[in-house]
Amino acid sequence: MANSCSGEVQERDMVVVQDEEAHPYAFHVSGPRNVASPNWRDLINSSWKKENYKRTVFSCFIQAVYLLEIDRQENRTEENALAPNWWRGFKYKLTQTLIDERDGSIFGAVLEWDRAAALADMVLMRPSGAPKAVLALRGTLLKGPTIRRDIEDDLRFLAWESLKGSVRFKVALEALKSFAEMYGSSNVCVAGHSLGAGFALQVGKALAKEGVYVEAHLFNPPSVSMAMSLRNIGEKAGFAWKRFKSMLPSNGETQAAGDDGEKTSTLGLRSWIPLLGSKTPSMGLKNWAPNFYVNNSDYICCSYTDPDGAEDKKEANKENAGPANGQVAAKLFVMSKGKQKFLEAHGLEQWWSDDVQLQQALHNSKLMSRQLKSLYTFPATQPTQRMPQ
């Protein structure tokens, strides 16, 4: 009888293992093939100094966040969870999950260097360039109960070019700021994909304006020009456009919405970039250089590669006043695989694939200039308002 029970347990365990091994999101099934775990050689020649390695690791960390939410939805346990294998091999551990209070979903996670796991493999110290902590933020997950809140934030970005009204922005900013204060900004990174890249860009920019420069890696970030195209259509619509503007929040309502007291444009869709700049221009722009990873076949982010943008030249010159040398402090990496289907071009898996072909492209894209201009330009003149004491 005991042998029979033992056989049943072993058979059940084998079924669980086989199910995990067959899962398309298992690390060994769809993860990177030729990326070695950190070892003693990294103490001499750190893999973290290589752009390809960093891109691969950060994209895997973001995939782990997607899987944390999927594991939650599917009630997976520690024994069969999919997410942990996407960080363990790189000697990192999960120390915090970011929860959306509206639906309880996991939209982000903080991963820290796992010293104990590294020592077990004779990695006596953290390799040069390896961050102590990484804040990873996922994008839209078209699955289960989280889809409503994901789409809600997608529409928020499309309409207002800002995610500050989302509860996720506040939670992500607090987490990033906390770890930057704990370990120092040079030892912390933020990474995101799609909607998560939009959050990563905006929380990174918010800290940069405070003089805290955190390394940022943005995969398939949502582009401003989609919103700009709607503005152009609206301007041609005449009367319909005016009717739509009348439905937008009033000046007081819009300005009161910001948690940090910053003023956003009261014209809404007419002026797509919120006035995120501080009262004095930041002189340390060169200290913050976010990394953009885009695919020309992905209509959500492809406009980052356009040097001309979607605006007419006169408006572009007005909006994109930048540093004297005309360069924006950002790195743009473009996937060069030729024409692809949208789901493939927008997918996260492409960024850790073995045959990835990247070109480091424009430094002065007008779209990047629009995103970063608040760090080095004065905001437009606004009426002075007395703040309550």
Side-chain angles (χ1 to χ4, degrees):
M1 183 70 175
N3 289 338
S4 176
C5 291
S6 176
E8 290 178 1
V9 171
Q10 291 179 356
E11 183 179 354
R12 186 166 58 250
D13 290 344
M14 288 180 61
V15 171
V16 172
V17 172
Q18 290 175 356
D19 177 66
E20 182 180 355
E21 290 180 348
H23 200 287
Y25 294 149
F27 182 80
H28 72 279
V29 174
S30 58
R33 295 286 181 271
N34 300 316
V35 178
S37 296
N39 54 56
W40 63 269
R41 295 183 181 84
D42 283 291
L43 301 179
I44 302 172
N45 184 22
S46 176
S47 298
W48 278 95
K49 293 184 177 180
K50 302 174 183 177
E51 293 287 350
N52 287 343
Y53 183 83
K54 292 172 69 172
R55 183 195 69 250
T56 297
V57 175
F58 288 133
S59 58
C60 286
F61 286 174
I62 299 169
Q63 177 72 355
V65 181
Y66 280 103
L67 293 176
L68 280 170
E69 173 56 19
I70 291 177
D71 285 342
R72 185 190 73 87
Q73 292 185 17
E74 297 181 353
N75 297 317
R76 291 180 174 270
T77 64
E78 292 183 8
E79 288 72 24
N80 65 349
L82 298 169
N85 287 334
W86 288 84
W87 65 69
R88 284 176 179 162
F90 303 110
K91 308 307 178 191
Y92 278 78
K93 60 184 178 181
L94 177 67
T95 57
Q96 181 180 344
T97 54
L98 275 58
I99 308 297
D100 189 325
E101 63 183 21
R102 298 170 297 182
D103 58 9
S105 63
I106 299 172
F107 69 91
V110 176
L111 301 169
E112 294 186 59
W113 175 254
D114 190 344
R115 187 170 179 270
L119 287 174
D121 282 349
M122 301 303 294
V123 182
L124 303 181
M125 64 180 66
R126 184 167 48 92
S128 176
K132 287 186 177 180
V134 178
L135 171 61
L137 302 167
R138 68 167 175 83
T140 303
L141 186 60
L142 300 177
K143 178 180 174 65
T146 187
I147 184 173
R148 176 184 173 188
R149 298 307 182 185
D150 288 352
I151 296 297
E152 182 178 312
D153 284 334
D154 286 327
L155 295 176
R156 184 192 308 276
F157 186 89
L158 178 66
W160 295 109
E161 190 58 45
S162 175
L163 294 165
K164 286 194 170 185
S166 171
V167 296
R168 296 183 183 183
F169 175 86
K170 182 179 180 181
V171 174
L173 181 60
E174 289 177 351
L176 187 60
K177 190 172 185 178
S178 173
F179 281 91
E181 292 174 350
M182 184 186 307
Y183 294 129
S185 60
S186 61
N187 292 312
V188 178
C189 296
V190 60
H193 172 249
S194 190
L195 176 63
F199 279 109
L201 174 60
Q202 295 198 5
V203 297
K205 186 162 59 174
L207 287 187
K209 291 193 303 179
E210 298 178 8
V212 180
Y213 305 101
V214 174
E215 185 175 330
H217 293 263
L218 315 170
F219 298 89
N220 302 89
S223 106
V224 182
S225 63
M226 290 193 302
M228 284 298 301
S229 65
L230 292 180
R231 190 202 79 166
N232 292 335
I233 294 173
E235 287 177 342
K236 295 177 182 179
F239 177 74
W241 171 243
K242 292 180 181 179
R243 287 283 301 273
F244 184 76
K245 283 200 301 178
S246 68
M247 299 170 62
L248 299 180
S250 66
N251 186 48
E253 291 172 344
T254 303
Q255 293 181 358
D259 290 333
D260 54 2
E262 291 177 332
K263 299 173 184 178
T264 56
S265 171
T266 59
L267 294 182
L269 301 177
R270 188 171 183 79
S271 180
W272 289 96
I273 302 300
L275 299 174
L276 301 179
S278 58
K279 292 186 178 180
T280 57
S282 172
M283 302 305 293
L285 176 63
K286 64 180 181 180
N287 294 318
W288 195 60
N291 298 271
F292 293 81
Y293 302 89
V294 304
N295 188 316
N296 274 330
S297 297
D298 177 10
Y299 63 78
I300 288 180
C301 68
C302 65
S303 295
Y304 275 101
T305 65
D306 183 6
D308 296 322
E311 306 165 288
D312 58 77
K313 293 182 181 292
K314 180 177 179 180
E315 185 68 17
N317 291 334
K318 178 181 178 181
E319 290 283 344
N320 295 303
N325 61 5
Q327 298 295 309
V328 171
K331 296 179 181 179
L332 178 63
F333 298 92
V334 183
M335 178 68 72
S336 55
K337 272 190 175 182
K339 192 171 182 62
Q340 296 174 283
K341 294 182 179 179
F342 167 70
L343 290 180
E344 181 182 4
H346 191 66
L348 184 58
E349 184 175 353
Q350 65 184 310
W351 301 112
W352 69 69
S353 64
D354 296 330
D355 60 343
V356 63
Q357 299 175 16
L358 292 180
Q359 297 176 349
Q360 187 166 349
L362 305 171
H363 287 266
N364 59 339
S365 160
K366 289 184 178 178
L367 201 47
M368 285 193 295
S369 216
R370 288 177 61 86
Q371 288 284 22
L372 302 177
K373 75 184 183 75
S374 65
L375 294 176
Y376 53 78
T377 59
F378 288 99
T381 301
Q382 295 285 335
T384 301
Q385 292 187 353
R386 297 182 62 86
M387 300 298 293
Q389 298 298 318

